[in-house]
DNA sequence: AACCAGGACGTGA
DNA sequence: TCACGTCATGGT
C-alpha cells in the first residue's frame, strides 16, 4: 500500500509538477498551464501564507469553494479585495445583505454568508499564534472534515491529509478502496502510509484535484485514467 | 440547454 | 448510522 501511494504521488508530481496551493488573490505569480484557473497559485513556494490576513483568506476560500468551482470563488475574493474587505475585521463589520450580495457568484449564498460570519468571528477571537485543533474547527457550523483539513493543511501548515470527492473517485477506480470507506478511513489510509510531511500532503491533494479534473470529471471514462497502467493492484 | 462544481447540514427511518 | 433532500450561481 505504502509503495502504491508513493508511486501514484511521484507519477502525478512528474506529470503535473508542483501545484502551488492554496491560491491567494494577492499573489502575482500564476501557472497558466493549470486547467480552469486564473491566478494566485505559487508553485514551489511553501512559505505562503505569511500574514494573518492570508491565513484568513484561505479559510474563507475553503468555505466558499464547498461544492463550487474555484473560478467562482476567486471572483468573490477579488471583489472583497477590491473593496478592501479581504480581512476578518471588515468581513465581520459587513452587514449581512452586503455580504450575501458579495458571495452570490459562489452559490449557496445564504448558507455561505452565515458560515463565513461564524468562521470570521471564531478567527478574530482566536488568540494570536494559537493553532486551532481539527475538533475545534469541526465544531463550527459550516465547517466539515474537508474544509477543516484544508484550513489546517494549507492555512496553518499542519500536516493533515485532505480528502475530497475526487480522492474517493480515484482510489475507488484503482481498486484501493470500496464505497463504504468513510472520510476518516481514507484520510487514515494516506496518513498511515506516507511520511508525515507538509509538502507531500499539500502537493498530493492538489495533484489529485488536477488529475481528477482531467480524467475523473462526471461522465468521464475512468478506464482511460493512466494511473491504471502505472499502478499494480 | 442541461449539468455540475475542490461539501455540509437537516431530517426521517 | 445512513440515505436522501436542500442549498444556488455561473461556466462549459
Amino acid at each position: 500500500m505504502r509503495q502504491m501511494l508513493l508511486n501514484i504521488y511521484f507519477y502525478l508530481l512528474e506529470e503535473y509538477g508542483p501545484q502551488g496551493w492554496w491560491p491567494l488573490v494577492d499573489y502575482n505569480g500564476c501557472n497558466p498551464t493549470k486547467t480552469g484557473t486564473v491566478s494566485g497559485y505559487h508553485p514551489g513556494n511553501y512559505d505562503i501564507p505569511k500574514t494573518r490576513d492570508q491565513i484568513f483568506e484561505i479559510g474563507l476560500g475553503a468555505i466558499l469553494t464547498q461544492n463550487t468551482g474555484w473560478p467562482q470563488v476567486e471572483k468573490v475574493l477579488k471583489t472583497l479585495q477590491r473593496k478592501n474587505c479581504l480581512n476578518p475585521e471588515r468581513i465581520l463589520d459587513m452587514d449581512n445583505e452586503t455580504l450575501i450580495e458579495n458571495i452570490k457568484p459562489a452559490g449557496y449564498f445564504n448558507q455561505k454568508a452565515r458560515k463565513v460570519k461564524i468562521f470570521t468571528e471564531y478567527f478574530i477571537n482566536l488568540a494570536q499564534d494559537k493553532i486551532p485543533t481539527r475538533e475545534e474547527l469541526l465544531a463550527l457550523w459550516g465547517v466539515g472534515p474537508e474544509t477543516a483539513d484544508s484550513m489546517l493543511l494549507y492555512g496553518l501548515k499542519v500536516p493533515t491529509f485532505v480528502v475530497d470527492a475526487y480522492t474517493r473517485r480515484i482510489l475507488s477506480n484503482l481498486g484501493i478502496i470500496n464505497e463504504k470507506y468513510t472520510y476518516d478511513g481514507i484520510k487514515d489510509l494516506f496518513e498511515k502510509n506516507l511520511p508525515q510531511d507538509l509538502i507531500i500532503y499539500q502537493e498530493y491533494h492538489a495533484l489529485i484535484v488536477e488529475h481528477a479534473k482531467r480524467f475523473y470529471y462526471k461522465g468521464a471514462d475512468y478506464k482511460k485514467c493512466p494511473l491504471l497502467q502505472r499502478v499494480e493492484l
Side-chain angles (χ1 to χ4, degrees):
Chain A
M1 178 60 65
R2 175 185 168 79
Q3 199 50 51
M4 181 160 21
L5 292 178
L6 283 173
N7 282 341
I8 295 171
Y9 175 70
F10 286 117
Y11 170 80
L12 294 175
L13 186 60
E14 191 169 333
E15 201 67 13
Y16 307 122
Q19 296 299 295
W21 277 38
W22 188 281
L24 291 174
V25 293
D26 64 353
Y27 184 79
N28 284 326
C30 74
N31 181 359
T33 65
K34 187 182 292 297
T35 57
T37 68
V38 190
S39 68
Y41 295 87
H42 42 87
N45 185 348
Y46 301 101
D47 290 331
I48 292 176
K50 287 181 182 295
T51 70
R52 170 179 151 88
D53 284 355
Q54 287 178 335
I55 296 173
F56 174 72
E57 179 184 334
I58 291 174
L60 194 57
I63 290 173
L64 293 178
T65 198
Q66 290 171 1
N67 206 36
T68 301
W70 186 257
Q72 293 174 241
V73 174
E74 187 181 58
K75 198 176 303 182
V76 174
L77 294 177
K78 284 189 168 171
T79 300
L80 293 172
Q81 181 191 42
R82 179 168 43 79
K83 297 181 173 181
N84 288 319
C85 288
L86 199 46
N87 62 75
E89 288 73 23
R90 294 292 299 272
I91 293 284
L92 197 59
D93 279 345
M94 200 177 294
D95 58 277
N96 290 321
E97 289 76 15
T98 310
L99 184 58
I100 287 173
E101 206 55 35
N102 288 333
I103 288 179
K104 220 157 222 177
Y108 308 105
F109 47 81
N110 287 309
Q111 286 190 346
K112 283 179 179 173
R114 185 175 158 208
K115 293 177 181 181
V116 164
K117 281 278 186 176
I118 292 172
F119 169 69
T120 303
E121 187 173 9
Y122 172 79
F123 189 90
I124 285 184
N125 292 327
L126 200 60
Q128 293 286 338
D129 296 330
K130 205 273 186 186
I131 297 188
T133 65
R134 186 168 192 261
E135 288 67 33
E136 286 166 348
L137 292 173
L138 287 175
L140 300 175
W141 186 86
V143 176
E146 185 185 342
T147 306
D149 288 334
S150 295
M151 291 174 175
L152 289 168
L153 179 62
Y154 294 107
L156 301 169
K157 298 174 182 171
V158 176
T160 187
F161 204 89
V162 177
V163 177
D164 68 343
Y166 287 145
T167 312
R168 179 182 298 277
R169 222 176 276 175
I170 292 176
L171 290 193
S172 163
N173 187 48
L174 296 179
I176 298 175
I177 64 169
N178 55 41
E179 284 66 25
K180 46 181 208 142
Y181 265 71
T182 63
Y183 182 99
D184 288 330
I186 299 174
K187 180 183 177 63
D188 278 354
L189 193 60
F190 283 98
E191 293 185 350
K192 288 180 175 165
N193 290 287
L194 291 174
Q196 185 177 323
D197 182 81
L198 180 71
I199 295 180
I200 294 180
Y201 285 9
Q202 287 189 340
E203 292 294 355
Y204 209 145
H205 172 64
L207 287 164
I208 282 175
V209 173
E210 178 62 22
H211 182 69
K213 280 178 177 167
R214 305 183 185 218
F215 296 100
Y216 288 86
Y217 56 89
K218 211 74 169 186
D221 182 7
Y222 298 168
K223 292 175 183 164
K224 292 181 179 171
C225 171
L227 284 172
L228 283 170
Q229 297 157 7
R230 295 291 263 97
V231 180
E232 40 262 49
L233 307 175

